[in-house]
Amino acid sequence: MVQRNLLVYKHTWMVIVTGFFEPVFFLLGIGLGIGALVSSVDGISYVSFVAPGLLAASCLNGAVTDGCFNIWFKLHFMKTYDGILATPMRVPDVAFGEMMWAVTRGSIYAGCFLVVLLVIGGITGRPVLLSPLAIFAFPAAVLAATSFSALFVCITTFVRKIEDFDTVVGLAVMPMFLFSGTFFPISRVPLIPRVVVELLPLYHGTAMLRQLTTGTVDRTLALHVGYLVILGVAAFTVAMRRLERALIK
Amino acid sequence: MTRAIRIVQRNAVVYRHIWRGSLFSSFLQPTLYLLALGVGVGSLIDPRRAAAIPGGGGYLQFLAPGLLAAACMQVASFESSWPVIGKILWARNYYAMLATPLAVDDLIVGELLWIAIRLTTVGTAFVLVAFAFGAMHLTPATPVALFLAVLTGLTFSAPIVAYAATLKSGENFNVLFRLILSPLFMFSGVFFPIDRLPAALQWVAKVSPLYHGVQLVRGLALGQLDPRVAMMHLSFLLVLFTAGVLVARHTFRRKLYA
């Protein structure tokens, strides 16, 4: 399954490359541009603050494009899976394969983005990654990417019409992207919406990565990691069951 | 040219069925940006450095007119990409339309007119939301600012419509959106004045129609637009729009009459 996706992506590699550029543009635009107007956030520079948020957001972004649109197309439009199941492959193989592919892609994005952060820190002489613990940001980002992918594959199995993705992206992904502490600390959000934000997956991804890259690790890290692991496993289990039902008639 | 109205009517009939989905991208999204970046990030801005924000108002007042122009760019770009290529390659509506008394020019004018109407509604809604947030004032200049934001959107529409008629698949649009439009969104002075950018990127910003649109709309909204500078920005937009329309006439003819 991974091999198949790799083979397809040999032809559409531009899409992957551009997917990586998006968070970099945001980092340069918002981080450096607006950062010049902000003296510090919770005692760190704005770029350092926003970078882990964008890393988490790019994990989410990758999960949405690969998890939602591609899988929906293969499921309903191109019937790729029906073709695959006519071979010795079974539904769990397909599901695990797609997940492994999402993890591979997420790792590439996360790795490249972390390298960009190092380079920017090197050029400007003001490091963006403030702690050696940032090494662990890589596996942590892969965990976040995996968990988000499982979630969106799971959501995809419930989506019948392609137009409904507008609703998913519009009402879930965009607000989550803007308000999960990516651009400003959620302590600025009033109490009731803040509780909602704290229940959302992206908030936990952002908080986890920010603790690692800024070196402000505390006990809540375990909570964030635990949340993402449980979410990933639960979403994957549901997604697998739904796929079985959808594909085997 | 009155025939072009038929295209507008046709799009309006279709839109009656799909407006719910587009409500978000066209209206809710800029509102959320205004809230998250204007209010959220705006609250982080150091008062000592706030003097660097042109206009003398707060960051929210600086951001809102920029986002108005940017929202028009995004809606216009989207409306001139997928729907247009769909009518050429997939649903092939244009071929059907050309079998009627409609001509290629009617198609182009009709589509652009329809996009202008969409942008006007999106822009009006945005202005009202921004007014409710205290991010924009309603003055006699506001309708002019709105008109200029719509024009900014159309300067993107015309070349994208022209480009759509040259494509064989939709994938190129992903590259266009991610490699051209999203950097323009970031670096055209919507979120911060472009003198913060390195010199090379400032030049990129200066050829971006969004930059000229943002300068016009913001200048009018903040009531500090120098007429001579305004004429320069305006002529840049008009030249680009006209060029886009001329190219579109060419690419449409080549594609549809082939």
Side-chain angles (χ1 to χ4, degrees):
Chain A
M1 197 68 221
V2 177
Q3 278 182 334
R4 181 233 169 243
N5 283 334
L6 198 62
L7 211 59
V8 172
Y9 266 98
K10 270 192 195 156
H11 300 286
T12 56
W13 58 272
M14 255 327 248
V15 178
I16 283 215
V17 174
T18 54
F20 155 74
F21 273 110
E22 208 148 36
V24 176
F25 288 139
F26 262 95
L27 180 74
L28 294 175
I30 304 273
L32 297 177
I34 298 185
L37 302 168
V38 177
S39 50
S40 70
V41 184
D42 302 339
I44 57 174
S45 82
Y46 189 64
V47 182
S48 303
F49 174 82
V50 102
L54 288 174
L55 178 58
S58 80
C59 295
L60 180 74
N61 214 341
V64 175
T65 32
D66 237 24
C68 281
F69 297 102
N70 288 354
I71 290 187
W72 192 87
F73 264 99
K74 288 184 214 168
L75 195 59
H76 293 286
F77 198 66
M78 302 197 301
K79 307 273 180 203
T80 314
Y81 297 136
D82 294 313
I84 290 171
L85 290 176
T87 71
M89 299 267 284
R90 299 277 68 98
V91 173
D93 302 325
V94 171
F96 274 109
E98 286 292 1
M99 283 307 297
M100 269 161 67
W101 171 241
V103 173
T104 315
R105 229 177 89 123
S107 325
I108 297 173
Y109 282 165
C112 292
F113 191 72
L114 285 167
V115 171
V116 169
L117 294 184
L118 277 177
V119 171
I120 291 181
I123 294 174
T124 57
R126 287 165 58 198
V128 178
L129 302 172
L130 302 175
S131 154
L133 285 174
I135 295 174
F136 296 108
F138 179 67
V142 174
L143 167 68
T146 314
S147 178
F148 296 155
S149 295
L151 176 64
F152 281 98
V153 171
C154 177
I155 292 175
T156 304
T157 60
F158 287 92
V159 171
R160 292 222 181 82
K161 287 187 312 220
I162 186 103
E163 286 86 8
D164 292 344
F165 279 122
D166 276 350
T167 320
V168 173
V169 171
L171 292 180
V173 180
M174 272 312 286
M176 202 151 82
F177 171 61
L178 289 169
F179 295 97
S180 289
T182 315
F183 298 108
F184 55 93
I186 62 155
S187 56
R188 307 254 161 178
V189 176
L191 183 66
I192 293 170
R194 190 164 77 210
V195 173
V196 176
V197 169
E198 284 178 355
L199 292 174
L200 296 176
L202 184 59
Y203 164 72
H204 293 276
T206 306
M208 169 181 75
L209 290 170
R210 188 165 286 141
Q211 289 195 7
L212 291 170
T213 59
T214 59
T216 49
V217 174
D218 60 31
R219 266 181 298 173
T220 56
L221 183 66
L223 176 79
H224 301 314
V225 173
Y227 177 100
L228 291 172
V229 170
I230 292 171
L231 174 76
V233 171
F236 185 70
T237 317
V238 174
M240 184 111 90
R241 203 164 291 169
R242 301 264 319 166
L243 278 177
E244 293 260 13
R245 213 177 300 163
L247 289 168
I248 302 194
K249 285 149 203 155
Chain B
M1 271 308 138
T2 48
R3 294 198 194 113
I5 301 293
R6 302 292 170 222
I7 305 282
V8 175
Q9 282 181 329
R10 181 249 169 223
N11 285 342
V13 169
V14 173
Y15 191 68
R16 284 221 314 257
H17 297 280
I18 57 166
W19 61 275
R20 279 183 201 85
S22 71
L23 205 61
F24 178 80
S25 58
S26 47
F27 170 61
L28 214 57
Q29 186 170 342
T31 309
L32 289 176
Y33 263 92
L34 196 65
L35 201 61
L37 294 177
V39 181
V41 179
S43 72
L44 299 174
I45 284 177
D46 188 339
R48 279 165 298 151
R49 300 194 196 177
I53 303 171
Y59 183 66
L60 189 59
Q61 285 74 22
F62 169 83
L63 181 68
L67 273 182
L68 170 61
C72 283
M73 169 189 91
Q74 282 175 322
V75 173
S77 308
F78 183 79
E79 292 289 324
S80 12
S81 55
W82 303 106
V84 171
I85 200 176
K87 288 178 206 167
I88 297 173
L89 286 184
W90 304 320
R92 301 173 76 86
N93 309 58
Y94 288 151
Y95 292 95
M97 291 173 185
L98 288 176
T100 71
L102 292 173
V104 164
D105 289 354
D106 301 323
L107 302 184
I108 297 171
V109 174
E111 289 294 355
L112 290 178
L113 212 56
W114 166 248
I115 292 171
I117 294 173
R118 285 269 289 126
L119 294 181
T120 312
T121 50
V122 169
T124 310
F126 182 85
V127 168
L128 294 177
V129 171
F131 173 69
F133 278 118
M136 273 176 106
H137 301 290
L138 295 182
T139 64
T142 311
V144 187
L146 189 60
F147 170 77
L148 291 169
V150 172
L151 176 67
T152 309
L154 290 178
T155 29
F156 281 91
S157 278
I160 294 175
V161 165
Y163 179 58
T166 65
L167 295 178
K168 291 196 178 68
S169 85
E171 275 159 26
N172 302 53
F173 282 135
N174 284 328
V175 178
L176 173 80
F177 280 117
R178 282 172 151 178
L179 279 192
I180 299 181
L181 295 179
S182 69
L184 288 188
F185 178 59
M186 278 289 123
F187 302 116
S188 291
V190 175
F191 298 102
F192 53 92
I194 63 160
D195 55 22
R196 300 263 146 205
L197 291 171
L201 275 178
Q202 285 191 29
W203 278 106
V204 176
K206 281 180 185 158
V207 294
S208 143
L210 181 58
Y211 164 73
H212 297 275
V214 168
Q215 292 305 99
L216 285 170
V217 177
R218 181 176 291 145
L220 271 176
L222 299 176
Q224 39 187 223
L225 192 62
D226 176 4
R228 267 186 306 169
V229 180
M231 285 322 288
M232 189 200 69
H233 293 308
L234 189 60
S235 22
F236 184 92
L237 293 182
L238 288 174
V239 167
L240 205 67
F241 173 68
T242 317
V245 173
L246 293 178
V247 176
R249 286 183 71 181
H250 176 69
T251 56
F252 265 60
R253 284 217 161 78
R254 210 176 47 185
K255 183 85 179 183
L256 298 172
Y257 286 152

